[in-house]
Amino acid sequence: MPSNPILQAEWRLRAVRLHQSGKTEEAQRDYAAYLSRYPDDHGIWSNLGALLRRAGRHELSLRAHERANASGVTDKGIRNNYANILSDLGRYDDSLAIRRSLLAEFPDDADQKAMIGRCYRGKGDYEAAIDWLTMAVVDHPNHAELRIQLAFAQLGAGDYANAFETYRARWQGDELTPRNLPWPEWRGEDVDGKTVLVLTEQGFGDAVLFTRFLPWLKSRGARVLYLSERPMLRLFDRLDGADWVGKTMPEGEQVDFWVNMMDLPLIGLETEADIPAPTRLNVPADSVDRAKAITAPHRDRFRVGVVWTGSATYKGNAFRSFGHRDFHPLIDVPGVQLFSLYKGPYLDAFHADGTSALIVDTASTDRDFADCAATMQEMDLIITSDTATAHIAGSLGLPTWVVLHWDAFWVYRHSGDTTPWYPSMRLYRQDAPLDWGSALSKVETDLRALVAARKAK
């Protein structure tokens, strides 16, 4: 091991370079070995915390950041990293205290102002978030993250008249690549007799959520083309408001304008009263036949489709998802048969521990979301985390219980057990951040009561 400052500095630099080059596992091992020798290096504890946070190991990240900040460290980056993990874990007041102290020292830090607004929104205090971020945008009118955070606060508050205009800033942030197309973007011009190409964006759930606005564009006299991703194509066949749906543009197609689908609410969504009904989805006959065959052996049971996680690539998935074993108590509800509607990498663990013998795997052979939708229609109830599955079930009008983390997507807001966006949904919330047990305990209680009531009838 290094025994002098020069070798220590070289070892430290090597670990940091591994981290910066994206070699996460090697950097983590080097950080651990280095810190076993030099446990008072606050900067490396902070680096390790940031690495663990990025890897989704948030509880370990918190412990690393607590060590980094254990001795009243004044370094801005170390304190900011600590505030980040505190926000992630729902400790918004603790995060706010650090961020306010940093802002007092660095009053022009627009990123810090954006994260203060983010904390207010995470607490469900939309009014405070909007007030704070609105003032911050005046001081930093070109700062994309401030506007994005303001948009989410406005969405949560139901201020749709302003929210979607503000949300245009998403294309100036770091997560989306601006479009580069040969046609003009539609900004509200007359489209009577014109052809407008609508582009999907972000996740599959967003696509299901926002296709309900296509008829609004069609009502303006436009010929509407909708460019979809392949897994949604059959589900979106004969989509209301669309003259054509496909995954690649027909050769020689003439287009007058293009528009991002999340800008369609700007046509007329101002308040909750303006929210259109969920989009009507297509469930093909062959998918229906397949679903009936899968569920046929369990016709005498109360059939519940379950999903515990969303896309593994979504950066916030660790917070909105729980484990498949959290559904184990529902297996014991008399008269119930569970069916997994999940398809993805987390199925390996689902099969490895034997859960698939008790919760029927219906989705691993799904060809697309149309197959999944057909299976949902064979269920008496859907219980899901906040995923595309929830949006599909809600659009199909199926009884759906959505189990939400403490900082829920704006469609679900931070309180209440219903959402105007999907009338057939019931929402279950954590009593405290990370407390999935409280939410799932309520689900079990209500499921037992529902099944007992059905049996009594």
Side-chain angles (χ1 to χ4, degrees):
M1 284 188 177
S3 58
N4 64 62
I6 294 177
L7 290 177
Q8 178 186 354
E10 289 177 351
W11 192 3
R12 190 183 199 277
L13 181 60
R14 182 183 69 192
V16 171
R17 283 178 173 169
L18 286 169
H19 186 173
Q20 292 173 338
S21 63
K23 297 178 180 178
T24 301
E25 293 183 7
E26 295 173 57
Q28 183 176 313
R29 285 195 295 269
D30 248 31
Y31 281 151
Y34 174 89
L35 287 166
S36 70
R37 175 74 173 176
Y38 305 105
D40 296 325
D41 191 327
H42 301 287
I44 294 301
W45 278 115
S46 185
N47 282 5
L48 175 61
L51 184 150
L52 291 168
R53 176 180 181 242
R54 188 174 184 84
R57 296 190 284 274
H58 296 89
E59 294 286 1
L60 282 176
S61 173
L62 175 63
R63 291 182 171 94
H65 284 301
E66 285 174 339
R67 295 198 178 192
N69 286 268
S71 300
V73 171
T74 59
D75 180 84
K76 179 183 180 182
I78 292 177
R79 291 155 66 198
N80 186 70
N81 283 345
Y82 189 27
N84 287 340
I85 191 64
L86 290 170
S87 293
D88 286 348
L89 296 176
R91 291 173 54 180
Y92 296 112
D93 288 332
D94 293 334
S95 181
L96 277 167
I98 296 172
R99 295 191 186 285
R100 288 188 185 112
S101 69
L102 285 169
L103 195 61
E105 297 173 36
F106 307 95
D108 293 325
D109 188 339
D111 290 330
Q112 208 61 247
K113 293 179 182 179
M115 292 302 98
I116 288 174
R118 170 70 182 85
C119 285
Y120 284 131
R121 179 170 63 83
K123 286 161 61 75
D125 192 345
Y126 302 127
E127 183 177 352
I130 291 170
D131 289 346
W132 171 268
L133 291 164
T134 299
M135 290 189 297
V137 166
V138 172
D139 293 333
H140 309 276
N142 298 317
H143 193 273
E145 188 61 27
L146 278 170
R147 289 187 174 275
I148 292 170
Q149 291 300 331
L150 175 57
F152 282 129
Q154 292 168 330
L155 286 166
D159 180 14
Y160 305 126
N162 292 307
F164 286 99
E165 184 61 45
T166 308
Y167 194 45
R168 289 186 185 275
R170 66 194 182 278
W171 298 101
Q172 283 77 58
D174 297 329
E175 295 188 14
L176 299 175
T177 302
R179 312 287 194 185
N180 182 19
L181 298 172
W183 314 289
E185 180 179 4
W186 182 58
R187 291 280 186 163
E189 298 93 334
D190 180 18
V191 288
D192 189 19
K194 305 290 186 181
T195 297
V196 181
L197 174 65
V198 179
L199 301 174
T200 193
E201 52 176 306
Q202 303 187 46
F204 295 124
D206 296 304
V208 177
L209 175 64
F210 282 92
T211 46
R212 72 181 71 202
F213 293 102
L214 292 176
W216 285 11
L217 181 60
K218 181 67 178 174
S219 70
R220 293 196 166 198
R223 178 170 178 264
V224 177
L225 313 180
Y226 178 66
L227 205 58
S228 173
E229 295 182 85
R230 190 202 64 77
M232 308 301 293
L233 274 177
R234 291 198 305 148
L235 202 60
F236 286 163
D237 189 31
R238 298 188 296 276
L239 198 60
D240 288 345
D243 296 283
W244 172 90
V245 177
K247 66 183 180 68
T248 55
M249 285 288 292
E251 187 174 348
E253 183 69 60
Q254 299 298 310
V255 173
D256 296 295
F257 298 99
W258 65 269
V259 64
N260 292 305
M261 66 181 305
M262 290 188 183
D263 291 332
L264 292 179
L266 288 165
I267 293 175
L269 181 62
E270 295 186 358
T271 68
E272 184 177 302
D274 302 318
I275 298 173
T279 192
R280 185 169 55 84
L281 301 174
N282 175 63
V283 184
D286 65 328
S287 294
V288 172
D289 292 341
R290 172 184 175 276
K292 289 183 180 297
I294 290 172
T295 58
H298 308 279
R299 286 288 173 191
D300 60 336
R301 311 281 284 179
F302 187 89
R303 298 178 299 279
V304 181
V306 298
V307 181
W308 59 92
T309 183
S311 170
T313 59
Y314 172 58
K315 71 174 186 177
N317 192 57
F319 296 112
R320 67 176 182 172
S321 302
F322 43 92
H324 68 273
R325 293 184 183 182
D326 290 314
F327 278 127
H328 283 185
L330 304 190
I331 294 171
D332 302 325
V333 178
V336 165
Q337 177 59 55
L338 302 186
F339 297 81
S340 168
L341 303 173
Y342 170 72
K343 180 176 183 175
Y346 299 118
L347 269 183
D348 292 343
F350 171 81
H351 287 289
D353 68 4
T355 298
S356 58
L358 296 164
I359 301 178
V360 178
D361 172 17
T362 69
S364 60
T365 58
D366 280 355
R367 295 163 293 178
D368 55 18
F369 280 109
D371 280 349
C372 182
T375 305
M376 287 186 200
Q377 289 185 323
E378 293 300 307
M379 299 294 113
D380 297 295
L381 176 67
I382 308 296
I383 304 176
T384 177
S385 58
D386 174 19
T387 68
T389 309
H391 293 277
I392 294 170
S395 294
L396 292 170
L398 303 174
T400 306
W401 295 357
V402 184
V403 188
L404 298 169
H405 70 311
W406 72 94
D407 185 19
F409 184 48
W410 59 265
V411 164
Y412 309 116
R413 300 179 180 171
H414 281 75
S415 62
D417 59 7
T418 61
T419 170
W421 291 84
Y422 293 110
S424 69
M425 279 186 181
R426 182 172 180 180
L427 310 179
Y428 289 82
R429 302 180 187 276
Q430 298 175 339
D431 289 343
L434 304 181
D435 180 15
W436 286 114
S438 61
L440 288 162
S441 177
K442 298 170 197 171
V443 167
E444 181 184 355
T445 298
D446 287 353
L447 179 60
R448 288 181 179 275
L450 176 61
V451 174
R454 290 282 186 95
K455 185 177 180 179
K457 287 183 179 180

